[in-house]
Amino acid sequence: MIEHLVEQIRMAYASRTLDAICENLCRFAPPASVAQARSIVEAEISRIRTLRDPPGLVDPNIGGWYLGPSDADTFWPLLKNRLVASGWDETAIRGLDVETTRIISLLEHPGVGAFKRRGLVVGYVQSGKTANFTGVISKAADAGYRLFIIMSGVTNKLRRQTQLRFDSDLRNLLNERWITLTDDNNDFSRQTAGTVDAFLTQYAQHKTVCVVKKIPMRLQLLADWLSSARPEVLKN
C-alpha cells in the first residue's frame, strides 16, 4: 500500500500541494500510511533540491544584514499571494523565499553610502529565473532599494515578454507605488523619460523600474541619463 500511495503523491505533486494531496488520500487510506508515504516523497524532494541548488561561492567578508521578510513588508507578501493564486505549491514558494532572502542578504544595505556589490545567479531553462529575480526585486523594494534595472534579451520580443511578466507578477499588484521608465511597447528613451533631475525628485517616494534590451546603445542611453543628474539628486 505504501508504494501505491507514494506513487499517487508523486503524480499529483506537480499541480497540488502536499497538504491537499494527503488530505484527500486520508479519505481512502489509513492516515498513518499516508503520513509514511508523504515522508518518503518529502525526502525525495529534499534530495532533488539539494542537487538543483548547489552551495554558492560567497565572499566571507560579506555580512548578512537582511534576515528575511517582516510583517511590515508590502511587496513580497503581494508577490507571494500572487504565486499562491497562480498555483505554486507551498514547497516551491518556501524555496523561493529562502533563495531570495539569501540573495538580498548578500547585497549591501541601501542606507549606507556608496558601495559596489556584484553577484551571479545561474538557472536552467524553465527553472524559475524570472520568479527568482522578481522575488529579489520585491524584497529589495521592501528593504529600501528604489531603482531596478532589468536587462532582458536582445530583441524587442524578449524584452516585451519580460516587461509583461514583471508587470503582471509585481508592478500591477500595487501600481501606484511603481513608476516605470519602459512599457510593453517601448524600451528606454530619454525623450519619454524626460529630465532626470525632475524625474528622480518628483518620484522620490516611488519604486522605479525599467526593462531594457541588453544592447550597448540602449544601456548607454540609460547610463548617460542617470549620470546627468545633479550629485545631490543621485545621493538621495
Side-chain angles (χ1 to χ4, degrees), residues 95-178:
L96 180 66
D97 188 7
V98 171
E99 293 161 5
T100 51
T101 289
R102 184 186 185 207
I103 293 170
I104 295 296
S105 72
L106 297 176
L107 299 176
E108 184 56 272
H109 191 289
V112 304
F115 63 89
K116 183 180 294 185
R117 187 65 55 83
R118 293 188 175 96
L120 175 67
V121 179
V122 180
Y124 292 106
V125 175
Q126 298 298 318
S127 63
K129 296 186 295 298
T130 303
N132 181 283
F133 77 67
T134 304
V136 167
I137 290 174
S138 71
K139 291 184 177 181
D142 283 326
Y145 279 84
R146 287 166 43 194
L147 173 62
F148 304 93
I149 302 168
I150 304 171
M151 293 178 284
S152 176
V154 295
T155 67
N156 288 327
K157 181 179 180 180
L158 290 174
R159 193 209 68 81
R160 183 174 186 272
Q161 288 176 349
T162 302
Q163 178 85 55
L164 290 172
R165 174 72 183 275
F166 178 80
D167 289 349
S168 173
D169 286 352
L170 188 58
R171 189 174 71 87
N172 291 344
L173 301 181
L174 197 61
N175 193 53
E176 65 271 18
R177 295 285 300 277
W178 289 94

Side-chain angles (χ1 to χ4, degrees), residues 35-222:
Q36 185 178 349
R38 174 173 180 159
S39 296
I40 294 173
V41 174
E42 286 179 331
E44 292 175 351
I45 294 171
S46 177
R47 286 195 297 271
I48 291 172
R49 290 200 64 81
T50 299
L51 291 173
R52 287 181 176 173
D53 302 331
L57 300 175
V58 179
D59 185 341
N61 296 318
I62 294 177
W65 59 275
Y66 181 78
L67 302 179
S70 72
D71 293 338
D73 287 348
T74 299
F75 300 102
W76 167 252
L78 288 173
L79 175 60
K80 183 177 179 180
N81 291 338
R82 160 82 176 172
L83 295 175
V84 171
S86 63
W88 278 54
D89 64 70
E90 59 187 278
T91 303
I93 293 176
R94 186 163 57 247
L96 180 66
D97 188 7
V98 171
E99 293 161 5
T100 51
T101 289
R102 184 186 185 207
I103 293 170
I104 295 296
S105 72
L106 297 176
L107 299 176
E108 184 56 272
H109 191 289
V112 304
F115 63 89
K116 183 180 294 185
R117 187 65 55 83
R118 293 188 175 96
L120 175 67
V121 179
V122 180
Y124 292 106
V125 175
Q126 298 298 318
S127 63
K129 296 186 295 298
T130 303
N132 181 283
F133 77 67
T134 304
V136 167
I137 290 174
S138 71
K139 291 184 177 181
D142 283 326
Y145 279 84
R146 287 166 43 194
L147 173 62
F148 304 93
I149 302 168
I150 304 171
M151 293 178 284
S152 176
V154 295
T155 67
N156 288 327
K157 181 179 180 180
L158 290 174
R159 193 209 68 81
R160 183 174 186 272
Q161 288 176 349
T162 302
Q163 178 85 55
L164 290 172
R165 174 72 183 275
F166 178 80
D167 289 349
S168 173
D169 286 352
L170 188 58
R171 189 174 71 87
N172 291 344
L173 301 181
L174 197 61
N175 193 53
E176 65 271 18
R177 295 285 300 277
W178 289 94
I179 295 297
T180 181
L181 290 167
T182 60
D183 58 36
D184 54 320
N185 292 317
N186 298 288
D187 203 335
F188 175 79
S189 167
R190 295 191 68 159
Q191 286 71 34
T192 57
T195 304
V196 63
D197 288 322
F199 183 93
L200 295 179
T201 302
Q202 179 181 357
Y203 298 114
Q205 303 306 314
H206 292 72
K207 308 298 180 180
T208 301
V209 64
C210 55
V211 182
V212 297
K213 291 192 295 292
K214 289 185 287 188
I215 58 176
M217 180 193 74
R218 195 64 62 176
L219 295 174
Q220 191 63 56
L221 285 174
L222 176 60

